[in-house]
């Protein structure tokens, strides 16, 4: 890797031993992935993945302490992933004790540390940091040092910023040094598509199911998605951005950049020039989506029992989605001549989105349906053995993939919430 004079000096200790180690970490990281040089991080804000004060993460907390002591602080303020706990979310006494005293016993200390290190504000806990209400919105072409996969996917694909799939803590290293290694999605070549995905469904595909199908097939490569114009149009409206947010999160286990024909910024500018020669083709029709859905294992012990809980909002919901879900629930409940949902239900969104939503007429209407609004990360909530025995339903492919939650498309989920019966 070619380093500038300044970078070499930092590596040799001109800014102290700790900064030299940070630089060495980035150089080794870049070396592993064939980077040619380190380039400046150019976004206004950073976003950190690690938001949870999990007791077993002591080495990470110690590392952060060392950085703070040495004054090796990020010059960028940052947002961070959602909190793992919220009293508003239903939990029994045992769960609450385990969360507070065993699992996330370091939460308070950790949040203090994040504030010292440059957290944007105390509402900046969300994976949807790029929403207007949160305000961490990178511009096209900016270089980022982020790690949260769903946010990386959105920033690359919908905003046209440039970011690799970094790991947690590597995001902080890049922000502290102000440089990231240039390879993969930071280069023009790395942003070219090696797959064409042809969508030929007879109705708009469920965003999270489509994302999951594409991720399973293209693995870590870049897809160019054609055939979505009839469903999404050619403008990145608020509804379309919400759709792509969910689509990208469902695919984020492997896909960190996708192009949608005539819609996403690079596809609009370069069209088919973005597609590499001899690329592979994947056709998605109704049958294929059904096949993918049927391949999801059901991990509940008692598969036909009524669910205990429903989570909607992984990734966090946008304002448009909160309003839309409120209207759909009201309609569904009216049809059933009921007032409140039949399954305990939690919608999750960024604290800043919740704050703005609470000032609209929709807030009371959603509350009247019995739905709880929370800023929690559903996955962090479920990531323990106690929740493994719960029967949780969700429309999130990501939550399904990393927990025992059971996936349902939105229409079916809505039916279950209003009727209280399990869909087979
Ligand atoms: Fe966001 Fe947590 Fe889901 S970080 S994407 S709500 S797993």
């Amino acid at each position: 890797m070619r380093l500038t004079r300044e970078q070499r000096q930092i590596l040799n200790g001109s800014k102290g031993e700790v900064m030299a180690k940070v630089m060495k970490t980035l150089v080794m990281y870049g070396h592993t992935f064939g980077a040619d040089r380190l380039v400046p991080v150019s976004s206004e804000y950073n976003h950190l993945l690690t938001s949870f004060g999990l007791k077993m993460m002591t080495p990470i907390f110690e590392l952060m302490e060392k950085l703070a002591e040495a004054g090796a602080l990020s010059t960028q303020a940052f947002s961070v992933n959602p909190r793992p706990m919220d009293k508003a979310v239903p939990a029994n006494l045992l769960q609450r004790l385990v969360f507070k005293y065993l699992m996330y016993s370091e939460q308070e200390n950790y949040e203090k540390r994040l504030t010292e290190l440059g957290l944007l504000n105390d509402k900046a806990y969300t994976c949807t940091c790029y929403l207007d209400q949160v305000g961490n919105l990178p511009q096209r072409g900016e270089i980022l040092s982020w790690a949260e996969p769903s946010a990386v996917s959105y920033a690359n694909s919908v905003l046209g910023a440039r970011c690799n799939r970094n790991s947690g803590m590597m995001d902080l290293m890049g922000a502290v040094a102000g440089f990231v290694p240039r390879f993969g999605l930071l280069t023009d070549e790395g942003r070219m598509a090696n797959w064409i995905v042809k969508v030929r469904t007879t109705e708009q595909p469920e965003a999270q199911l489509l994302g999951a199908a594409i991720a399973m097939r293209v693995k870590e490569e870049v897809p160019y998605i054609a055939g979505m114009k009839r469903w999404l149009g050619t403008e990145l409206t608020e509804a379309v951005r919400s759709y792509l947010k969910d689509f990208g999160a469902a695919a984020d286990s492997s896909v960190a950049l996708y192009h949608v024909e005539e819609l996403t910024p690079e596809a609009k500018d370069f069209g088919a020039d973005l597609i590499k020669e001899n690329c592979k083709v994947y056709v998605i029709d109704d049958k294929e989506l059904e096949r993918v859905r049927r391949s999801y294992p059901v991990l509940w012990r008692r598969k036909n029992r009524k669910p205990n809980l429903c989570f909607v909002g992984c990734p966090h919901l946008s304002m448009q989605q909160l309003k839309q879900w409120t209207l759909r629930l009201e309609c569904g409940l009216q049809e059933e001549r009921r007032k409140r949902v039949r399954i305990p239900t939690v919608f999750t969104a960024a604290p800043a989105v919740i704050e703005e939503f609470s000032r609209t007429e929709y807030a009371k209407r959603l509350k009247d349906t019995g739905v709880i609004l929370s800023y929690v990360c559903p996955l962090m909530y479920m990531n323990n053995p106690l929740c493994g025995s719960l029967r949780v339903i969700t429309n999130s492919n990501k939550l399904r993939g990393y927990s025992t939650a059971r996936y349902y498309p939105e229409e079916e989920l809505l039916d279950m919430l209003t009727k209280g019966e399990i869909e087979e």
Side-chain angles (χ1 to χ4, degrees):
M1 273 173 76
R2 274 181 286 123
L3 299 186
T4 62
R5 198 158 150 221
E6 181 203 0
Q7 290 162 353
R8 274 201 310 275
Q9 284 171 344
I10 298 174
L11 192 61
N12 291 330
S14 67
K15 289 195 178 170
E17 193 193 342
V18 172
M19 269 305 271
K21 283 186 179 165
V22 170
M23 196 55 115
K24 188 174 173 194
T25 308
L26 288 166
V27 170
M28 288 169 71
Y29 174 42
H31 192 66
T32 309
F33 288 94
D36 57 356
R37 58 184 195 267
L38 292 176
V39 288
V41 173
S42 56
S43 58
E44 185 175 5
Y45 301 121
N46 192 24
H47 179 81
L48 295 187
L49 179 132
T50 314
S51 60
F52 34 91
L54 205 55
K55 198 169 171 41
M56 65 198 253
M57 286 174 40
T58 313
I60 290 197
F61 306 143
E62 285 172 1
L63 175 57
M64 282 182 148
E65 211 166 302
K66 271 197 183 139
L67 289 171
E69 273 168 17
L73 300 175
S74 161
T75 50
Q76 290 177 300
F78 55 84
S79 48
V80 64
N81 264 6
R83 292 180 165 112
M85 295 184 290
D86 177 4
K87 283 193 204 109
V89 179
N92 60 34
L93 183 64
L94 183 59
Q95 282 169 323
R96 289 200 193 285
L97 292 175
V98 169
F99 284 156
K100 194 162 168 47
Y101 297 106
L102 285 176
M103 291 186 65
Y104 302 118
S105 55
E106 291 301 314
Q107 191 63 27
E108 241 178 78
N109 288 337
Y110 186 58
E111 290 192 15
K112 269 190 213 145
R113 175 64 69 208
L114 289 175
T115 306
E116 284 165 16
L117 287 172
L119 183 67
L120 258 173
N121 54 55
D122 64 357
K123 293 195 286 279
Y125 286 88
T126 177
C127 46
T128 54
C129 59
Y130 43 78
L131 294 179
D132 291 343
Q133 295 81 2
V134 189
N136 184 355
L137 182 70
Q139 302 299 304
R140 186 162 174 193
E142 284 183 346
I143 307 287
L144 319 181
S145 178
W146 292 10
E148 162 51 38
S150 63
V152 168
S153 160
Y154 190 92
N156 271 323
S157 315
V158 183
L159 304 177
R162 294 192 170 207
C163 187
N164 278 314
R165 277 165 54 86
N166 303 302
S167 60
M169 287 315 281
M170 200 52 85
D171 48 7
L172 182 61
M173 295 290 156
V176 167
F179 300 105
V180 282
R182 198 187 89 106
F183 66 91
L185 300 180
L186 264 51
T187 66
D188 291 345
E189 167 72 11
R191 297 178 76 83
M192 302 270 291
N194 14 33
W195 280 87
I196 297 185
V197 177
K198 297 183 178 175
V199 179
R200 292 186 180 149
T201 52
T202 55
E203 50 189 46
Q204 177 170 312
E206 187 88 4
Q208 300 240 8
L209 198 52
L210 181 67
I214 293 177
M216 283 179 198
R217 182 60 64 93
V218 314
K219 303 278 179 351
E220 294 192 355
E221 298 187 301
V222 179
Y224 183 93
I225 304 161
M228 290 300 284
K229 187 173 168 182
R230 58 193 289 224
W231 309 122
L232 302 183
T234 56
E235 294 305 320
L236 287 169
T237 61
E238 198 185 351
V240 170
R241 292 197 305 270
S242 296
Y243 182 97
L244 295 177
K245 162 181 77 67
D246 289 355
F247 164 81
D252 74 11
S253 56
S254 57
V255 175
L257 165 66
Y258 56 86
H259 303 291
V260 183
E261 190 178 45
E262 292 185 61
L263 182 62
T264 52
E266 281 154 88
K268 268 197 158 177
D269 284 357
F270 306 114
D273 289 347
L274 277 175
I275 305 168
K276 282 187 180 168
E277 270 178 34
N278 302 322
C279 70
K280 292 153 271 190
V281 178
Y282 177 33
V283 177
I284 297 187
D285 54 16
D286 299 340
K287 238 169 107 186
E288 174 63 1
L289 282 186
E290 190 54 23
R291 182 194 69 75
V292 170
R293 186 182 166 195
R294 296 278 159 223
S295 72
Y296 292 169
V298 179
L299 301 173
W300 295 1
R301 257 177 254 148
R302 294 186 181 140
K303 297 187 173 38
N304 298 323
R305 297 284 293 274
K306 193 177 160 186
N308 308 106
L309 188 61
C310 170
F311 268 122
V312 175
C314 170
H316 276 173
L317 293 166
S318 67
M319 182 68 106
Q320 177 264 340
Q321 287 175 310
L322 279 173
K323 288 179 182 170
Q324 195 188 39
W325 268 103
T326 306
L327 295 172
R328 291 170 82 187
L329 275 174
E330 281 179 340
C331 243
L333 288 168
Q334 213 168 25
E335 272 171 32
E336 294 301 314
R337 295 174 196 274
R338 294 188 208 279
K339 289 208 158 15
R340 295 170 75 82
V341 287
R342 306 274 289 153
I343 297 166
T345 300
V346 179
F347 284 5
T348 59
V353 171
I354 293 178
E355 190 179 82
E356 191 174 307
F357 182 73
S358 69
R359 290 197 290 265
T360 69
E361 45 141 339
Y362 290 88
K364 180 177 179 314
R365 288 164 62 180
L366 181 65
K367 195 168 176 204
D368 288 346
T369 68
V371 167
I372 294 161
L373 197 47
S374 165
Y375 49 72
V376 82
C377 165
L379 180 55
M380 286 296 113
Y381 170 91
M382 286 198 67
N383 197 8
N384 66 83
L386 290 177
C387 288
S389 56
L390 284 179
R391 291 180 299 279
V392 175
I393 53 173
T394 183
N395 63 340
S396 165
N397 179 66
K398 187 161 177 176
L399 185 59
R400 171 205 74 78
Y402 290 103
S403 74
T404 54
R406 190 166 173 177
Y407 169 84
Y408 285 93
E410 291 186 0
E411 273 310 312
E412 290 177 34
L413 206 67
L414 193 62
D415 252 25
M416 291 165 73
L417 296 184
T418 52
K419 295 187 179 127
E421 290 157 14
I422 182 140
E423 296 270 344
E424 287 305 323

